[in-house]
Amino acid sequence: APAGLSKSCCSPSPYQMSDDKKLKDSIQQKLVETGEYDRLKEILRQRLIDSGWRDNLKQYTMEVIKNKGDTQLTVEQLTSEITPQGRSTVPDDIKSELLQSIRKFVEEQQN
């Protein structure tokens, strides 16, 4: 840690993490209850297709399968192999757009 800062200053306490999880769960529950979750999921799906992300991930997946050769891969193994690539390659503008939509939803729920 930088001089003068204790290590604990910057990492969330177990209480904060618990509160963050409660808040996240609460927002997700509201999104699902109102149908907004499905609406946002469909917009996200279409944006990922339009950006070429889906095709790129499909190509990456085929390369992973090819590189494994004769090794039998379970769906779980394949998923754990491609998930980090999938998450790290989502375009920033799409992430920002989704986050903005969720923020707007939360603000509207508070009014």
Side-chain angles (χ1 to χ4, degrees), residues 48 51 53 56-57 82-92 95:
L48 291 172
S51 73
W53 175 89
N56 291 341
L57 190 61
I82 65 170
T83 296
Q85 174 74 10
R87 286 190 176 143
S88 69
T89 57
V90 172
D92 287 341
K95 288 181 196 174

Side-chain angles (χ1 to χ4, degrees), residues 3-20:
L5 290 179
S6 69
K7 194 171 179 209
S8 65
C9 86
C10 303
S11 55
S13 73
Y15 299 111
Q16 286 172 306
M17 288 195 302
S18 171
D19 287 348
D20 287 350

Side-chain angles (χ1 to χ4, degrees), residues 36-47:
E36 186 68 3
Y37 183 86
D38 288 334
R39 191 184 79 77
L40 290 175
K41 192 166 75 169
E42 183 53 34
I43 290 170
L44 176 62
R45 189 184 74 76
Q46 194 56 55
R47 291 279 284 123

